[in-house]
Amino acid sequence: MDAATLQTFTSPVVLFFVLGLLAAFARSDLAIPEAIAKGMSLYLMAAIGLKGGVAVSKSGIDSTVLIALVLGIAASFLMPFFANFVLKVFGKLGRINAGAVAAHYGSVSVVTFVTAVEILEAQNKPPGGYMVAVMAAMETPAILTGLLLARGMGSKDGQKTSELLHEVFFNASVVLLLGAFAIGIIAGAEGFGEVAPFFEAGFKGVLCLFLLDMGLIAARRIMDARAITWRLVVIAIGLPLINGTIGTAAAVACGLDVGSSAALGVLCASASYIAVPAAMRLALPEADPGIYLTMSLSITFPFNILINIGLMSMLASALTGVGGATP
Amino acid sequence: MDAATLQTFTSPVVLFFVLGLLAAFARSDLAIPEAIAKGMSLYLMAAIGLKGGVAVSKSGIDSTVLIALVLGIAASFLMPFFANFVLKVFGKLGRINAGAVAAHYGSVSVVTFVTAVEILEAQNKPPGGYMVAVMAAMETPAILTGLLLARGMGSKDGQKTSELLHEVFFNASVVLLLGAFAIGIIAGAEGFGEVAPFFEAGFKGVLCLFLLDMGLIAARRIMDARAITWRLVVIAIGLPLINGTIGTAAAVACGLDVGSSAALGVLCASASYIAVPAAMRLALPEADPGIYLTMSLSITFPFNILINIGLMSMLASALTGVGGATP
Amino acid sequence: MDAATLQTFTSPVVLFFVLGLLAAFARSDLAIPEAIAKGMSLYLMAAIGLKGGVAVSKSGIDSTVLIALVLGIAASFLMPFFANFVLKVFGKLGRINAGAVAAHYGSVSVVTFVTAVEILEAQNKPPGGYMVAVMAAMETPAILTGLLLARGMGSKDGQKTSELLHEVFFNASVVLLLGAFAIGIIAGAEGFGEVAPFFEAGFKGVLCLFLLDMGLIAARRIMDARAITWRLVVIAIGLPLINGTIGTAAAVACGLDVGSSAALGVLCASASYIAVPAAMRLALPEADPGIYLTMSLSITFPFNILINIGLMSMLASALTGVGGATP
Amino acid sequence: MIETVVRKRIEILTDTALLGRVTDAVDKVGITGWTVVPVSSGKGRDGRWREERVMGTDKVFVLTIASQDKAQALAEELAPVLTKYGFILSMWDVEVIRGERF
Amino acid sequence: MIETVVRKRIEILTDTALLGRVTDAVDKVGITGWTVVPVSSGKGRDGRWREERVMGTDKVFVLTIASQDKAQALAEELAPVLTKYGFILSMWDVEVIRGERF
Amino acid sequence: MIETVVRKRIEILTDTALLGRVTDAVDKVGITGWTVVPVSSGKGRDGRWREERVMGTDKVFVLTIASQDKAQALAEELAPVLTKYGFILSMWDVEVIRGERF
Ligand SMILES: Nc1ncnc2c1ncn2[C@@H]1O[C@H](COP(=O)(O)O)[C@@H](O)[C@H]1O
Ligand SMILES: Nc1ncnc2c1ncn2[C@@H]1O[C@H](COP(=O)(O)O)[C@@H](O)[C@H]1O
Ligand SMILES: Nc1ncnc2c1ncn2[C@@H]1O[C@H](COP(=O)(O)O)[C@@H](O)[C@H]1O
Ligand code: NA
Ligand code: NA
Ligand code: NA
């Protein structure tokens, strides 16, 4: 375990997540009010969007940005096929549940990405600002693939589909991320300067408290879980490893820098637990949230935060030959 | 459109408001929890009160301050008469609704003022710190005039009137604004220094998120609105122009500096959507919130934020001959 | 009244508390949403825990720390006996209520401690970082003594006792304080640096708003109070004076520095109004919250914030011969 | 078997700003207690409302359990306000344990 | 004495994300209004849920008062969605003042 | 026409800290689910309370729908706690759709 990995476990951000896990396992009544948690999640999305936009306003949009976008969208569309196959064959899930879970693994987790950015920056491998746009673009394609897999080609009611598409493209996180990203581009570094004390200086601290809450929620959910088999646990750890490795490797092959490659790997590895569950509840009410939420939130999310981000970072360094830790 | 006006549209504060409007019009489910919105509004009032108090503790209280106070209170008392006339004759509202709406336009909007201060400061025309006290003093007189207009001289039940007066003078925003203002005066610059990182550095960022929420609420309300005619839309844009122009001109005539004159204009132009609706609901339950809230919140408020603050700033510069943009 | 005491009344932190008291007495409708208040209290505990841990990571753990811990735990265990005696004999309370109130006075108030730290630091008498651990350790022993006094030795149902012990040792504030303290030790000054803008710069401002809320709650409760006699008022002021004096003197005698001695005095003087009420409601449902909450929250808490912290600070200076105000 | 008695459960939808008037009426007719439940949005003749808490025009439910007589007295007491402010009052029979306290 | 009339009080537990479908149905059958009450946690066949608001999978109660006929029409209207999404609908008779408005 | 069956709707006001005891009782008597609704303030024999969430002494409503038998069993199960902690339990008949699940 090298210095960079160790650093992960002395970072307050990760330690607060561990505290949340431990407190919930010890059955402490520690809890963060929902309104506060919701507020923090909006803050984090606005801040990451803004920062990404400001970064792009400096660097401009070049072919790398387009390549990363295409790569991310393709991954989000295609990853659910593989996940669906594994979930059915090895995980022994039915068609509906397999499709629903697959959608989660094709989509992304904003908080996992945000935590990865913090860790990569601390290792001197900052991802490009445009990765925020890549993240936003990756949220929704997987939902379409997942539904296709779960319901087959012939969707019955067309009216409901347009409702769903609207819900998916204008869902709160996509709108806020892309909106803040656009504001960052328009306002630029100068305009951002005015609000930087709020959106930049407070960022890591808010992330600490938010991860504390995520730790509490993740651990409480797994203690209540009933529908989870050992096969599903294996998949919830195996998929982020495989998807992450493929994503990182593809990004390096396409010429992205080390930080952006690791970040794309983390995006591929991460599983949604906000946008996709809400969409699945609407479109696939027969699917069991006890399966898809527990897998993505209680197993994959902690695994990514505690271990997989570090692995993707090392992998990207190894593949690009650029170690960030010693500048 | 000069550079200063353009600057308005690259300021993150205004851009987040626009994002809120757009997101709501696109029927996104983006929403800020009420507790968070309420918390932000308390924060903004405490911060603006404190900053005003600290500024006055430096500058002291002189005749200008008294003139501005008298001007503001007189405006709040008198503006509803004109508004009431227009609302009845041109707007075709009945006595009760006209009186209720008039009260809103005589009173002030804290957030409009706060946004104006930010924009004026960015244009190097900072208003005097005492304007916070002027704002607090302007909140309530209009309520009395509005009730007089709606109910006629002979108010029936005296007991209820004393209840209303108490409600009006000790309402949350008056108490918090004036309380924080007093704390600012007592604590002075030195005492404020301790809490400045919270109340000063975070201010613009919080304002961004608060205006995002205001944009969402304003746009959603107008999409649901049913009682609004084109005549009322014209009034909701015309009144802030007229009231604002008179206010700015009167302030310049009384010798206020350019920033304070523009700020007084904005106060006259703004319409309350917190203190007055609550008071009207108590005192004039027959009046229709679908009219007064929609006009003040969904038409006048956006118009002031996006256009009218800039106009008042230009007007004050033209009248005083002092342009702030090039220092 | 010397300069240091006067300073208390020009500090925004204390002034916001006074504003809360006044607003509630004037029956203003000013109120802070519960979710925000809860969020601020979690923030304050995380921040004070972190800062204490970082301080200990610098200073290391020596015999002074152990002495302070032993002193605090002993005080928490023993103080309820004296309080119980006074409450029965002078206060004329029955066994159950006397035991319940005694538990509150043996335990501690986190916000009183936090305010004391701010005031002591402003007087150049910063308490040691380890005092956070002392505070956390003092929260629970008094609960056990209080129950013993209220119920006698032979507790009926063993199963419920283990439930209570779990509740008491894993209650939210103990877990968060000690958890953040541990994170502070692990992350050290370097790790803390990343999150300092959030947890350090914002601290005093959040404390202002939190004390505003506490002022509102304390004053509203006393206006509704019915079960409070003048004898109980005398005790609610006398006990913090006596406990605080003994605590400060004992700390000085054991060789603690001036700031830590004053802080230990404040801890002894303070009465819990979070952890203990919740535990009493579980374990002694027959006890009257109208007595214990009103005494601790509405009388002792304001007395400590406004007067007693200053007294303990002066006492500690007098006893150690070290005045902090003139460095 | 536990004994239950029949009481009225009364539910009043009121503006938060006017909560005090409703609870004063509950106290006045001698009902022992009441409980307030938050409300998050709604629609009536004036159209839809939501998130009005920022504007201070939101609503709450006041729930109280009382004997038939006191329930009737409360309805009488509140009738003028109900009509004036457009509150909603509904009531129905419920079985309660420890009926002596209501 | 105040006059009361008997109406149905209907209570529907629904996903927050599907609130619009329920209130559309209420509007469609011609009921004058409805009120939404927040829900903080629960347990059903899928196990326990709480704090799902962050995940957008939380629930709310929709309350509405209507005549017997309209209540029945609403139940018919919602029946397919209820079964599909596992909502809960219950209703009972209540006495209301100002009954003409419902 | 949609078929409805009659069930009991039970409503229990409890301290938040003791919610677990109530829901354990619900589970124990074999009721399929329950829903928790937040409460913001109230008044009882001990006087008024509000904003006690900061102090951890606030309350919630637990709502559950069950057959007559299970409702009675729940009342018996909770009776001792009710008296000890001053909770309130009330219940009444409601019509439900999809009655087989309760
Ligand atoms: N008659 C009542 N109707 C509704 N809620 C009540 C009633 N009496 C008491 N409560 C509620 O029950 C809580 C405890 O009441 P008590 O046990 O009398 O202190 C109060 O704080 C109220 O929230
Ligand atoms: N039929 C109804 N059922 C339940 N709540 C209603 C009903 N009608 C109105 N409301 C509620 O009462 C409030 C005021 O209604 P109104 O007086 O018609 O404007 C609305 O905003 C709703 O929250
Ligand atoms: N018997 C019941 N009484 C009250 N609420 C229930 C009951 N059963 C289920 N619920 C609520 O309905 C939701 C969905 O239940 P289910 O469809 O069984 O998963 C649960 O999460 C509970 O909030
Ligand atoms: Na993914
Ligand atoms: Na105005
Ligand atoms: Na103590």
Side-chain angles (χ1 to χ4, degrees):
Chain A
M1 199 186 268
D2 69 358
T5 314
L6 190 67
Q7 190 174 356
T8 307
F9 288 94
T10 62
S11 153
V13 172
V14 173
L15 289 169
F16 269 99
F17 182 67
V18 173
L19 176 60
L21 292 173
L22 295 179
F25 284 133
R27 302 199 178 270
S28 165
D29 62 347
L30 184 60
I32 299 206
E34 274 184 23
I36 299 292
K38 193 83 203 274
M40 291 195 296
S41 107
L42 295 172
Y43 166 88
L44 292 175
M45 287 191 285
I48 194 89
L50 272 177
K51 282 196 273 185
V54 171
V56 167
S57 86
K58 279 186 219 157
S59 70
I61 297 178
D62 57 10
S63 64
T64 322
V65 176
L66 296 179
I67 291 173
L69 271 170
V70 170
L71 211 57
I73 293 171
S76 179
F77 261 122
L78 299 177
M79 282 188 296
F81 286 103
F82 175 63
N84 185 61
F85 175 78
V86 175
L87 287 158
K88 275 171 140 172
V89 172
F90 180 76
K92 304 207 183 294
L93 290 184
R95 190 160 56 88
I96 302 274
N97 278 323
V101 175
H104 287 73
Y105 282 86
S107 183
V108 297
S109 148
V110 177
V111 180
T112 308
F113 175 75
V114 163
T115 309
V117 171
E118 292 305 319
I119 291 176
L120 290 169
E121 280 178 355
Q123 296 175 351
N124 286 313
K125 310 177 197 167
Y130 57 84
M131 288 306 294
V132 172
V134 175
M135 170 173 64
M138 286 178 75
E139 275 209 73
T140 50
I143 297 176
L144 306 179
T145 311
L147 290 182
L148 195 81
L149 292 165
R151 296 201 296 205
M153 267 315 206
S155 170
K156 294 131 259 171
D157 43 352
Q159 193 245 318
K160 290 294 146 59
T161 305
S162 82
E163 197 183 315
L164 181 76
L165 282 181
H166 182 274
E167 148 87 14
V168 151
F169 284 112
F170 291 97
N171 89 63
S173 60
V174 170
V175 167
L176 186 52
L177 277 172
L178 290 185
F181 188 76
I183 292 175
I185 292 182
I186 299 172
E190 200 193 341
F192 181 64
E194 306 171 16
V195 296
F198 181 69
F199 285 114
E200 201 162 59
F203 192 77
K204 276 196 195 166
V206 173
L207 187 56
C208 285
L209 291 188
F210 191 75
L211 281 173
L212 174 67
D213 191 44
M214 294 305 303
L216 291 166
I217 293 176
R220 280 185 187 136
R221 172 164 281 278
I222 205 149
M223 290 192 296
D224 287 340
R226 297 178 302 189
I228 296 298
T229 61
W230 70 265
R231 290 175 177 275
L232 294 177
V233 173
V234 169
I235 293 177
I237 290 177
L239 270 184
L241 280 172
I242 298 172
N243 287 347
T245 303
I246 296 174
T248 307
V252 171
C254 290
L256 298 201
D257 61 274
V258 57
S260 303
S261 297
L264 194 85
V266 170
L267 285 174
C268 290
S270 76
S272 169
Y273 53 82
I274 299 190
V276 182
M280 289 301 121
R281 187 70 193 128
L282 271 177
L284 288 179
E286 317 88 312
D288 183 355
I291 297 178
Y292 55 68
L293 267 182
T294 308
M295 286 181 71
S296 69
L297 183 60
S298 300
I299 307 176
T300 301
F301 179 71
F303 173 69
N304 279 330
I305 297 292
L306 299 179
I307 296 174
N308 210 26
I309 293 174
L311 295 182
M312 293 305 124
S313 166
M314 284 194 277
L315 178 65
S317 289
L319 292 179
T320 54
V322 180
T326 39
Chain B
M1 201 185 266
D2 68 359
T5 313
L6 189 67
Q7 189 174 357
T8 307
F9 288 95
T10 61
S11 153
V13 172
V14 173
L15 289 170
F16 269 100
F17 182 67
V18 174
L19 176 59
L21 292 173
L22 295 179
F25 284 132
R27 300 200 179 271
S28 165
D29 62 349
L30 184 59
I32 300 207
E34 275 185 21
I36 300 291
K38 192 84 203 274
M40 291 196 295
S41 108
L42 295 172
Y43 167 88
L44 292 174
M45 287 191 285
I48 193 90
L50 272 177
K51 282 197 271 185
V54 171
V56 167
S57 86
K58 279 186 217 157
S59 69
I61 297 177
D62 58 9
S63 64
T64 322
V65 176
L66 297 178
I67 291 172
L69 271 170
V70 170
L71 212 58
I73 293 172
S76 179
F77 261 122
L78 299 177
M79 282 188 297
F81 286 103
F82 175 63
N84 185 60
F85 175 79
V86 176
L87 287 158
K88 275 169 138 173
V89 172
F90 180 76
K92 305 210 183 293
L93 290 185
R95 191 159 56 89
I96 302 273
N97 277 325
V101 176
H104 287 72
Y105 282 86
S107 183
V108 298
S109 149
V110 176
V111 179
T112 308
F113 175 77
V114 163
T115 310
V117 171
E118 292 306 318
I119 291 176
L120 290 169
E121 279 178 356
Q123 296 175 351
N124 286 314
K125 311 175 197 169
Y130 56 84
M131 289 306 294
V132 173
V134 175
M135 170 176 62
M138 287 178 75
E139 275 209 73
T140 52
I143 296 176
L144 305 178
T145 310
L147 290 183
L148 195 81
L149 292 165
R151 296 202 297 206
M153 268 314 205
S155 171
K156 293 132 261 169
D157 42 353
Q159 194 245 319
K160 292 294 146 60
T161 305
S162 81
E163 197 182 317
L164 180 76
L165 284 181
H166 182 274
E167 150 87 14
V168 152
F169 285 111
F170 290 97
N171 89 62
S173 59
V174 170
V175 166
L176 187 52
L177 277 172
L178 291 185
F181 188 74
I183 292 175
I185 293 182
I186 298 173
E190 198 194 340
F192 182 65
E194 305 170 17
V195 296
F198 181 70
F199 285 114
E200 203 163 58
F203 192 78
K204 274 194 196 167
V206 173
L207 187 57
C208 285
L209 292 188
F210 192 76
L211 281 173
L212 173 67
D213 191 45
M214 293 304 304
L216 291 166
I217 293 175
R220 280 184 188 138
R221 172 163 281 278
I222 205 148
M223 289 192 296
D224 287 340
R226 296 178 301 189
I228 297 297
T229 62
W230 70 265
R231 291 176 176 273
L232 294 178
V233 174
V234 169
I235 293 177
I237 289 176
L239 270 184
L241 280 172
I242 300 172
N243 286 347
T245 304
I246 295 175
T248 309
V252 171
C254 289
L256 298 200
D257 62 274
V258 57
S260 302
S261 297
L264 194 85
V266 170
L267 285 173
C268 290
S270 75
S272 168
Y273 51 82
I274 299 188
V276 182
M280 289 302 120
R281 189 67 195 129
L282 271 178
L284 289 179
E286 317 88 311
D288 183 354
I291 298 178
Y292 55 68
L293 268 182
T294 309
M295 287 181 70
S296 69
L297 183 60
S298 299
I299 307 175
T300 301
F301 179 71
F303 173 69
N304 279 329
I305 297 293
L306 298 180
I307 298 173
N308 211 25
I309 292 174
L311 295 182
M312 294 304 124
S313 167
M314 285 195 276
L315 180 65
S317 289
L319 292 180
T320 53
V322 180
T326 40
Chain C
M1 202 187 265
D2 69 358
T5 314
L6 190 68
Q7 190 175 355
T8 307
F9 287 96
T10 62
S11 152
V13 171
V14 173
L15 289 170
F16 269 100
F17 181 67
V18 173
L19 176 60
L21 292 173
L22 294 179
F25 284 132
R27 301 197 177 272
S28 165
D29 62 347
L30 182 61
I32 299 204
E34 275 184 20
I36 300 292
K38 193 83 203 275
M40 292 195 296
S41 106
L42 295 172
Y43 166 87
L44 292 174
M45 287 191 286
I48 193 90
L50 273 178
K51 281 197 272 183
V54 171
V56 167
S57 86
K58 279 186 219 158
S59 69
I61 296 179
D62 56 10
S63 64
T64 322
V65 176
L66 296 179
I67 291 173
L69 271 171
V70 170
L71 212 58
I73 293 172
S76 179
F77 261 122
L78 298 178
M79 283 188 296
F81 287 104
F82 174 64
N84 184 61
F85 175 78
V86 175
L87 287 159
K88 274 170 139 172
V89 172
F90 181 76
K92 306 212 182 290
L93 291 184
R95 191 159 56 89
I96 303 274
N97 278 324
V101 175
H104 287 73
Y105 282 87
S107 183
V108 297
S109 149
V110 176
V111 179
T112 308
F113 176 75
V114 163
T115 311
V117 171
E118 291 308 318
I119 291 177
L120 291 169
E121 279 177 355
Q123 296 176 350
N124 286 313
K125 309 177 198 168
Y130 56 83
M131 288 306 294
V132 172
V134 175
M135 171 174 63
M138 286 179 75
E139 276 208 72
T140 50
I143 296 177
L144 305 179
T145 311
L147 290 182
L148 194 81
L149 291 166
R151 296 202 295 207
M153 269 313 205
S155 171
K156 295 132 258 171
D157 42 353
Q159 192 245 320
K160 291 293 147 59
T161 304
S162 81
E163 196 184 317
L164 180 77
L165 283 182
H166 182 274
E167 148 88 15
V168 151
F169 285 111
F170 290 95
N171 88 62
S173 59
V174 170
V175 167
L176 186 52
L177 278 171
L178 291 185
F181 188 76
I183 292 175
I185 292 182
I186 299 173
E190 200 193 340
F192 181 65
E194 305 170 17
V195 296
F198 181 69
F199 284 114
E200 202 161 61
F203 193 77
K204 276 195 195 166
V206 173
L207 188 56
C208 285
L209 291 187
F210 191 75
L211 281 173
L212 174 66
D213 191 44
M214 293 305 304
L216 291 165
I217 293 176
R220 278 183 190 138
R221 172 165 280 278
I222 204 150
M223 290 193 294
D224 287 340
R226 296 178 303 189
I228 296 298
T229 62
W230 69 265
R231 290 175 177 274
L232 294 178
V233 174
V234 169
I235 293 177
I237 290 176
L239 270 184
L241 279 172
I242 299 172
N243 287 348
T245 304
I246 297 175
T248 308
V252 172
C254 290
L256 298 199
D257 63 274
V258 57
S260 301
S261 297
L264 194 85
V266 170
L267 285 174
C268 291
S270 76
S272 168
Y273 51 84
I274 299 188
V276 182
M280 289 302 120
R281 188 66 195 131
L282 271 177
L284 289 179
E286 317 88 311
D288 183 355
I291 297 178
Y292 55 69
L293 267 181
T294 309
M295 286 181 71
S296 70
L297 183 60
S298 299
I299 307 176
T300 300
F301 180 70
F303 173 69
N304 279 331
I305 297 292
L306 299 179
I307 296 174
N308 210 27
I309 293 175
L311 295 182
M312 293 305 123
S313 168
M314 284 196 277
L315 180 65
S317 289
L319 292 180
T320 53
V322 181
T326 40
Chain D
M1 250 191 58
I2 287 283
E3 218 183 313
T4 60
V5 296
V6 174
R7 292 283 177 270
K8 281 279 177 214
R9 187 180 178 298
I10 308 131
E11 197 172 271
I12 302 152
L13 182 72
T14 167
D15 284 29
T16 306
L18 291 162
L19 174 58
R21 291 212 196 152
V22 173
T23 57
D24 285 354
V26 173
D27 292 348
K28 191 173 156 195
V29 302
I31 296 175
T32 49
W34 36 266
T35 303
V36 179
V37 167
V39 165
S40 52
S41 67
K43 202 196 100 176
R45 292 157 307 174
D46 293 339
R48 199 166 148 68
W49 62 271
R50 63 188 155 201
E51 326 211 25
E52 314 284 67
R53 216 160 293 175
V54 180
M55 273 147 268
T57 49
D58 59 320
K59 293 173 193 286
V60 289
F61 268 121
V62 182
L63 313 181
T64 180
I65 294 177
S67 66
Q68 166 75 39
D69 288 357
K70 286 184 180 162
Q72 189 64 35
L74 180 61
E76 307 266 348
E77 181 73 28
L78 284 176
V81 208
L82 288 185
T83 314
K84 188 167 168 202
Y85 291 104
F87 295 169
I88 293 180
L89 181 150
S90 66
M91 55 186 174
W92 62 91
D93 286 333
V94 299
E95 300 162 57
V96 295
I97 303 186
R98 299 198 302 140
E100 65 291 350
R101 61 177 293 199
F102 298 110
Chain E
M1 250 190 58
I2 289 282
E3 218 181 315
T4 59
V5 296
V6 174
R7 293 284 177 269
K8 281 279 178 216
R9 186 181 178 297
I10 308 130
E11 199 172 87
I12 302 151
L13 183 72
T14 166
D15 284 29
T16 306
L18 291 162
L19 174 58
R21 291 213 197 151
V22 173
T23 58
D24 284 355
V26 173
D27 292 348
K28 190 173 158 196
V29 301
I31 297 175
T32 50
W34 36 266
T35 303
V36 179
V37 167
V39 165
S40 50
S41 67
K43 202 196 98 175
R45 292 157 307 175
D46 293 341
R48 197 167 151 67
W49 63 270
R50 62 189 156 200
E51 328 211 23
E52 314 283 69
R53 217 161 292 174
V54 179
M55 271 147 269
T57 49
D58 59 321
K59 293 175 192 285
V60 288
F61 268 121
V62 182
L63 313 183
T64 181
I65 294 177
S67 66
Q68 167 74 38
D69 287 358
K70 287 185 180 161
Q72 190 63 35
L74 179 61
E76 309 265 350
E77 181 74 28
L78 284 176
V81 207
L82 288 185
T83 314
K84 187 167 169 203
Y85 292 104
F87 296 169
I88 294 180
L89 181 151
S90 66
M91 54 185 174
W92 61 92
D93 286 334
V94 299
E95 301 162 56
V96 297
I97 303 185
R98 301 196 300 141
E100 66 292 351
R101 60 178 294 200
F102 298 109
Chain F
M1 250 191 57
I2 287 284
E3 218 183 313
T4 59
V5 295
V6 174
R7 292 285 177 269
K8 282 278 177 214
R9 187 180 178 296
I10 308 132
E11 198 173 90
I12 301 152
L13 182 72
T14 166
D15 286 28
T16 305
L18 291 162
L19 174 58
R21 292 213 196 151
V22 173
T23 57
D24 284 355
V26 173
D27 291 348
K28 191 174 156 195
V29 301
I31 297 175
T32 49
W34 38 263
T35 303
V36 178
V37 167
V39 165
S40 51
S41 66
K43 202 197 99 176
R45 291 157 307 175
D46 293 339
R48 197 167 151 64
W49 63 271
R50 62 189 155 201
E51 327 210 24
E52 314 283 69
R53 217 160 293 174
V54 180
M55 272 146 269
T57 49
D58 61 321
K59 294 174 193 285
V60 289
F61 267 119
V62 182
L63 313 182
T64 181
I65 295 178
S67 67
Q68 167 74 39
D69 287 357
K70 286 186 179 160
Q72 189 64 36
L74 179 61
E76 308 265 349
E77 179 75 26
L78 283 176
V81 207
L82 288 184
T83 314
K84 186 167 169 203
Y85 291 104
F87 295 170
I88 294 179
L89 180 151
S90 67
M91 54 185 174
W92 62 92
D93 286 334
V94 299
E95 299 163 56
V96 296
I97 303 185
R98 299 196 302 139
E100 67 290 352
R101 61 178 294 199
F102 298 109

